[in-house]
Amino acid sequence: MGKKTKNKRRGPEPVNTTPLPKKRAEKDPRKHGQATRETVESLVIAFVLAFLFRTFQAEAFVIPTGSMAPTLMGRHADMHCPECGQRYRINESELTDSDVDRIREMRGGRVSPAQIMAENRGLAGQCPNCRRINWLGPVNGIRESQDAVLERSYSGDRILVNKYLYSFTDPQRWDVVVFKYPGDAVQNYIKRLVGLPGEELEIKGGDLFVRENDSDEFKIVRKPPKKIMAVRQLVYDSAREPAELRQAGYPLRWTPANDGWTAEEAVNNKRVDLAYQAKATDDTSWLRYSHIPANAVTWATAERTGIDLGPDAKPQLITDYNAYNTTIDGQQLRRQDGRVALPTNDQGLHWVGDLIVDAEVDIASDEGKLVLELVEAGCRFRCTFEVADGSAELTALPFGSTAAQPIAACGKTGVRGDGSHELRMANVDSRLTVWVDGGVLKFDKPTDYDAQELLASDGGILPQQDDANPGDLSPAGIGAEGLEATVDRVTLWRDIYYIAEKNTKDDVTPNRGWPPSDFLMTTSPGEVAVKTDNGPVTWYDMMHDPAAWDAFRARRSQTFKLGEDQFFVMGDNSAASSDARLWAAGNGGKGGIPGGPYLERKMLIGKAVCVYWPHSFDRLPGTSIPFPLFPNVRDMRLVR
């Protein structure tokens, strides 16, 4: 079945316990060159723009809060998980500089700003990949924190803003803009511009819809590929599988669904090196993802000997979880009587069906099929690569159907014959996008689809699953038919989820005391729950139990009408952003009350262009050699 002669000398099929080969196939040097060019380009642009200070064409700003995280960072701690190695940032403190000044004034100036920040700083945060809670330093009374290295606090990203661009051109949707807060023209804020003058905007199911006239239907707003990449958030990276969980019997998230695939594992210090091997089969064999994130209890149990964690792993839906929002501070520890756990509110309250999958694949055959699959509302979206001729086809298989519907085709993808490739597929904003080795594929037809036609069940878009089809509990897969291949790394991401909350002067939210939510929130009994026509349903049941999924019909949508020269802005960190949706009480009671849920053109300062100075390092990277203010070149970047 398309197997090359040279492959016959590879020896017997690997088994699950076979160590990984020490030497992998060499990466394409063009990819390294591309990454180098992008880094150099970002640096050149950053430093060129810095010179524009002298001509007053650009101005520097510091990001004050985490409302745009992880796109742009406010005050934060920069963490590296000691178990899986994942780098992530958490909200180090809710206090802004103005908050510190106000507290210092209330206390008669007897304390320094540093003391105030120390009293209110975060103590721990959760890794987005392995979900271990990591400490920012030793905490009295918390045994597991005593070996933690003290992490310092960093101020927000420093960005350059083009102040005069909007004097010559109109703002564009998805621009990241700096503006004067409408309730207090002294304060500068930064958000993403998503609504344009004269539009009516609808937030529904995590997506944005617009219409220009009352007689028109709302149409979904789709992000271009660069914006998709800018706002995506990590779900899981197979290259960062923690050894401690595996040794305690916790299952892998990517597992073979049948005999066509095998998983190779080798413990490498604190991580497990993983590779997945596909052998040539007559039918499509599948490697599938199950979302089984660990939690604080899982990690505490893993430290005990003789306990098998496998039976406790239960798949759940992917949510709008954001590691930046997982900060645990002293007040929270006191509320939980010292128990170390992440509150439900910080685990993401909403199911996210828009996903992106990346795969590093080494194909060892000159024919056969390789398939990338993403599932939303039970519908299986697939990109099938024909290795023999290098073509690809996009299809959709709705839940409960046996016939796939063609969407579009591409005659030349570059995936032809044997070779190594970086493949990516996104199902975002009711559009399929495919990348091969960094380039976006062009298909013969638009790759947009009608979500109501393909995804809706009895008028609502809900997660789906049955005995024969895991559906949204297994929302991603890689298939192989008639070829041999190795998947060295596979990473799953989610799209940004815009929360349909509204708190304006004329429409005050009923969710007082709750984070922003699509749902009307309550407790039942003592657990976080949502209100439905059939009574409250707990968040835990909604995420884990298909019998509770009808509760997703209780999701609300919100609409906002914009007038002439009015824009709508929201933060990328929708769960922790006081933006135009919530401007009833003056950005959380700070700085006055704006005129309505909109931003007037006259309040715009400019467009964010680049992060020219992210936080610096105190020592040479990778060493213990002191070097104050060592430039953090890696995080200098354009703002997308």
Side-chain angles (χ1 to χ4, degrees), residues 34 55 64 76 86 107 146 150 282 290 302 361 381 542 617:
Q34 178 182 352
T55 61
H76 65 282
Q86 178 65 44
R107 296 169 68 172
Q146 298 310 306
L150 184 64
D282 293 336
S290 292
V361 182
F381 295 99
M542 289 180 64
F617 295 112

Side-chain angles (χ1 to χ4, degrees), residues 396-504:
L397 182 64
F399 184 75
S401 175
T402 57
Q405 301 181 17
I407 294 178
C410 177
K412 295 182 179 180
T413 66
V415 184
R416 183 173 183 178
D418 64 345
S420 297
H421 299 281
E422 294 180 0
L423 308 179
R424 176 183 300 127
M425 178 182 176
N427 171 32
V428 171
D429 302 331
S430 298
R431 171 186 286 165
L432 303 180
T433 308
V434 181
W435 292 255
V436 172
D437 298 327
V440 178
L441 293 186
K442 294 182 179 180
F443 288 84
D444 61 349
K445 299 176 183 177
T447 58
D448 308 342
Y449 62 86
D450 187 330
Q452 286 297 318
E453 178 183 333
L454 291 180
L455 308 182
S457 172
D458 295 330
I461 297 177
L462 315 175
Q464 300 287 351
Q465 181 264 358
D466 60 28
D467 292 340
N469 182 353
D472 291 274
L473 291 178
S474 181
I478 300 175
E481 178 182 325
L483 58 74
E484 288 186 349
T486 301
V487 176
D488 290 322
R489 184 177 191 175
V490 56
T491 310
L492 192 64
W493 310 81
R494 71 165 180 88
D495 185 31
I496 190 172
Y497 188 98
Y498 287 116
I499 298 173
E501 187 62 276
K502 191 173 188 178
N503 188 37
T504 66

Side-chain angles (χ1 to χ4, degrees), residues 198-218:
E199 292 181 338
E200 186 174 6
L201 187 76
E202 181 182 40
I203 307 173
K204 181 179 180 181
D207 293 325
L208 301 177
F209 300 80
V210 298
R211 66 179 180 184
E212 296 183 359
N213 300 299
D214 292 342
S215 59
D216 295 339
E217 292 184 358
F218 281 103

Side-chain angles (χ1 to χ4, degrees), residues 14 51 72 189 200 270 359 388 416 421 438 485 493 507 541 560 569 575:
F51 284 109
L72 295 169
Y189 283 85
E200 186 174 6
K270 287 195 170 186
R416 183 173 183 178
H421 299 281
W493 310 81
D507 194 350
D541 286 343
F560 301 86
V569 292

Side-chain angles (χ1 to χ4, degrees), residues 246-408:
R246 285 297 292 147
Q247 291 167 343
Y250 205 74
L252 296 173
R253 298 204 206 178
W254 285 94
T255 55
N258 45 39
D259 294 336
W261 289 85
T262 54
E264 293 184 343
E265 301 182 55
V267 175
N268 182 3
N269 197 7
K270 287 195 170 186
R271 295 209 297 262
V272 177
D273 286 337
L274 284 170
Y276 297 94
Q277 302 276 356
K279 63 182 180 181
T281 56
D282 293 336
D283 298 320
T284 304
S285 57
W286 288 98
L287 178 69
R288 294 203 178 279
Y289 176 83
S290 292
H291 192 51
I292 44 174
N295 55 38
V297 175
T298 309
W299 277 102
T301 307
E303 296 176 357
R304 307 171 190 168
T305 58
I307 297 179
D308 183 4
L309 292 176
D312 295 331
K314 187 175 182 180
Q316 68 173 69
L317 299 174
I318 292 173
T319 72
D320 58 336
Y321 167 97
N322 185 341
Y324 190 89
N325 301 333
T326 65
T327 306
I328 296 175
D329 58 20
Q331 292 183 4
Q332 184 172 317
L333 279 180
R334 288 190 289 272
R335 286 196 300 268
Q336 297 174 174
D337 296 325
R339 183 173 59 90
V340 181
L342 195 67
T344 300
N345 293 345
D346 294 336
Q347 297 179 39
L349 297 176
H350 307 91
W351 161 56
V352 180
D354 284 10
L355 304 175
I356 304 108
V357 62
D358 292 346
E360 297 180 9
V361 182
D362 182 10
I363 299 172
S365 301
D366 56 10
E367 63 180 11
K369 297 179 180 180
L370 185 74
V371 187
L372 298 182
E373 179 183 88
L374 292 171
V375 179
E376 182 177 10
C379 182
R380 298 185 177 279
F381 295 99
R382 292 173 177 170
C383 180
T384 302
F385 295 92
E386 288 282 358
V387 174
D389 61 10
S391 64
E393 183 182 22
L394 292 174
T395 59
L397 182 64
F399 184 75
S401 175
T402 57
Q405 301 181 17
I407 294 178

